[in-house]
Amino acid sequence: MTMKLWGGRFTKEENELVHDFNESLSFDRRLYRQDIRGSLAHVTMLARQGIVSEEDKEAIIRGLKGILQDLDEGKLEFTKEYEDIHSFVEATLIRRIGEAGKRLHTGRSRNDQVALDMKLYCRDEINELHRLVKELLKQLLTIMEDNLDTYMPGFTHLQKAQPVTLAHHMGAYFEMFYRDCQRLQDVRERLNYCPLGSGALAGTTYALDREYTAEILGFTGPALNSMDAVSDRDYVIELLSALSIIAMHLSRFSEEIIIWNSNEYQFVELDDAYSTGSSIMPQKKNPDIAELVRGKTGRVYGALMSILTVMKGLPLAYDKDMQEDKELTFDAIDTVKGCLSLFTGMLSTMKFRKDIMEASARKGFTNATDAADYLVNHGVPFRDAHGIVGQLVLYCIERNMALDDMSLEEFQAVSPVFQEDIYEAVSMKTCVEKRVTAGAPGQEAMRKVIDRCRGRLKELKETERAE
Ligand code: ARG
C-alpha cells in the first residue's frame, strides 16, 4: 500500500530524472546554426537525387531558414521536452510546415548528424581561434619592431645570464604562437572530411550523393568509413591538445609578466584596466588578468584529459558516452578565446620600463662573459680570464656596482691587460650587437627574423583567404 502510494510518483520522477540525465539540449543548443546548415545541405542533396520532391525541398528550406532566423533573434525558445538540438529543430520544422518536414531525416541518423554538427562547430571555432592567435602575433611583432635596442637580461634558471633585447625575448613567444597557428591549421585540414551520409553506422540504402553534401559544406570530401565517421572524435582531441599547448604558452608568458610586474623587477607596468587593487593594502596593483590566464590552463588540460578518458574504452561505433565531448570542448574553446583576447589587450596596453630593464642587465653582470672574452682576445688564456672576471664581479658585488661602473685603475688593479676600450667591450650594446648568428639578439640578425615573421604572418592570412 505504502509502496503504491509513492510508487506512481517515483516512476514519474524517475522518468524526469532519466530525461534530465540523458538530454543534451541544455548545452548542444549552441550547435543550432551548424545543425541547420547541415540539414540545408542534406535536403538540397536529397532533392537533387530525386529522393524528395522540389516542392518539399523548398518548404523544408524555407522552414529551416525561418527557424534559424527566429533562434538568432531570440523569438524561438528551446523547450525542455526535446532531448537534443537535432530533435528540437526537426520537431519544430514539422510543427511549422507539416508533412514535408517529416522527409528531412531521410537517409540520416542523429549519429552522423551530431558528428557533422560538432565538426562544423570545431571548424568555425578553429577559424576564430586562428584569427585570435594571429592578433597576438601582430602585437608581438609590433613590440619586436619597437624594441630592437631595448636591452634586458636574458635568464637561465631565472638567474640573469646574458644580455638580450626585448625584441628577442618577444620573438621567442612569436615562434611559440606561430606554431600554435600552424597546429590549428593542421587540425582543420585533418578534420575536414564529411560524416554526413554515414547514417547510424552502416551508411544507407538511399542513393545519397555524399560528394555533393561534402562540397556544399566546404569539406575536402566525404569520410571514407561510415563506422569511423560516426564515432571519430580524434579532431576534438587534437583541437583540445592544440588548445592545451596555447594555454601552456599563455601561462608561461603570464608568469613572466607577473614576475616583471613585481616590485622587485618593475620591468613592466600593467595598465590599470588589466590590474586590480587590494581591498586592504593600498600600495598593491595586482596582475589579476595574467594570473587568471595562468590559472585557466588547468581547465583546458582538464578537458583534454576528460575526452581522452571518455574515448578510451569505446567499442565501435557510436556510443552515448560521446555526448560528453560537448560541454568540455565548448568550455575549453570559450576559455582559450577569452584568454587570447584579454592577453593581447593586456600586452598592447602594457608599458615596458626600458631603463630599468637595461640597468638590471648591467647590474646582473650579464656582460661578465664578454669581459672574459675581452681578455682572451688580448692573449689571456680563457681559464685565467674566467678567474680574473670572477674577482672583478666579487669586487663589484661588495660595492654594489656594475662592471662598467669601475674606474680603469680598478680594472687594472686586477689585470693590467684592461685598457680604456673595456667600457665599450662590456657595454650592453656591444654585448648584444656582437651576437649576430641567425636567431641571436643582435640587431642585424633580429631584423632578418622580423622580416621573416612579417612574411609568415602574411602567409597565414593567405591560407585563410584560399579557403
Ligand atoms: N545528443 C547526442 C550526442 O551528442 C546526439 C546523438 C544521439 N544519438 C543517439 N543514437 N542517441 O551524442
Side-chain angles (χ1 to χ4, degrees), residues 91 169 385:
H169 199 117

mmCIF file of all heavy atoms in Angstrom, residues 91 169 385:
data_model
loop_
_atom_site.group_PDB
_atom_site.id
_atom_site.type_symbol
_atom_site.label_atom_id
_atom_site.label_comp_id
_atom_site.label_asym_id
_atom_site.label_seq_id
_atom_site.Cartn_x
_atom_site.Cartn_y
_atom_site.Cartn_z
ATOM 1 N N ALA A 91 11.533 18.634 -34.874
ATOM 2 C CA ALA A 91 10.153 18.724 -34.364
ATOM 3 C C ALA A 91 9.557 20.101 -34.652
ATOM 4 O O ALA A 91 8.383 20.219 -35.031
ATOM 5 C CB ALA A 91 10.128 18.426 -32.865
ATOM 6 N N HIS A 169 63.358 38.582 -26.817
ATOM 7 C CA HIS A 169 62.527 37.856 -25.844
ATOM 8 C C HIS A 169 61.110 37.668 -26.394
ATOM 9 O O HIS A 169 60.540 36.582 -26.341
ATOM 10 C CB HIS A 169 62.497 38.631 -24.518
ATOM 11 C CG HIS A 169 62.080 37.801 -23.345
ATOM 12 N ND1 HIS A 169 62.910 37.541 -22.277
ATOM 13 C CD2 HIS A 169 60.915 37.177 -23.071
ATOM 14 C CE1 HIS A 169 62.263 36.771 -21.399
ATOM 15 N NE2 HIS A 169 61.053 36.546 -21.851
ATOM 16 N N ALA A 385 91.242 34.141 -17.603
ATOM 17 C CA ALA A 385 90.297 35.247 -17.827
ATOM 18 C C ALA A 385 89.055 35.049 -16.950
ATOM 19 O O ALA A 385 88.561 35.986 -16.311
ATOM 20 C CB ALA A 385 89.906 35.315 -19.289
#
